[in-house]
Amino acid sequence: VQLQASGGGVVPVGDSLRLSCEASGPTFDINLYALGWFRQAPGKEREFIAAINWSGENLYYGDSVKGRVTVSRDTDKNTVNLQMDSLKPEDTAVYYCAADLNYSDYGITNPTHYDYWGQGTQVTVSS
């Protein structure tokens, strides 16, 4: 499974960004995977941002971004998207998408449960 993230950039405080992550691979079936977004700022641990479970019915959000981000998926394009609004300087980080072959929601917010990771895309919010 390969994951390719895109959509990062430099934006002013209060602006919005939409990150996308395309999953590919001969055996990849989006209906079997939980798809998540994490971020990591310099000197900090990887932080859970959002996830959508294998069925697409359950959405999860980290406390630091709840109310400002929306996760979604497109099953036709095998993509998971992260809409981020009202961006703050503390949202500056490298954002990673990840996939977990997970037919349940157990551990969906824990980065150690994810099997595959994208390369990351930089988001910088300038004040």
Side-chain angles (χ1 to χ4, degrees), residues 104-117:
S104 74
D105 290 7
Y106 178 75
I108 199 170
T109 65
N110 188 337
T112 65
H113 280 250
Y114 284 78
D115 306 302
Y116 305 98
W117 290 83

Side-chain angles (χ1 to χ4, degrees), residues 77-93:
K77 297 180 180 179
N78 278 350
T79 58
V80 58
N81 305 303
L82 185 70
Q83 176 67 39
M84 302 190 295
D85 301 316
S86 302
L87 285 163
K88 305 175 181 180
E90 50 264 43
D91 294 320
T92 295

Side-chain angles (χ1 to χ4, degrees), residues 44-115:
K44 295 187 176 181
E45 294 186 352
R46 193 160 293 192
E47 177 188 7
F48 169 72
I49 300 302
I52 184 167
N53 80 330
W54 62 273
S55 70
E57 294 180 349
N58 296 339
L59 310 179
Y60 299 84
Y61 296 100
D63 289 339
S64 64
V65 297
K66 198 170 293 183
R68 299 189 295 119
V69 305
T70 304
V71 64
S72 63
R73 71 178 192 175
D74 185 329
T75 55
D76 291 334
K77 297 180 180 179
N78 278 350
T79 58
V80 58
N81 305 303
L82 185 70
Q83 176 67 39
M84 302 190 295
D85 301 316
S86 302
L87 285 163
K88 305 175 181 180
E90 50 264 43
D91 294 320
T92 295
V94 178
Y95 284 70
Y96 297 91
C97 57
D100 177 21
L101 184 60
N102 187 352
Y103 211 61
S104 74
D105 290 7
Y106 178 75
I108 199 170
T109 65
N110 188 337
T112 65
H113 280 250
Y114 284 78
D115 306 302

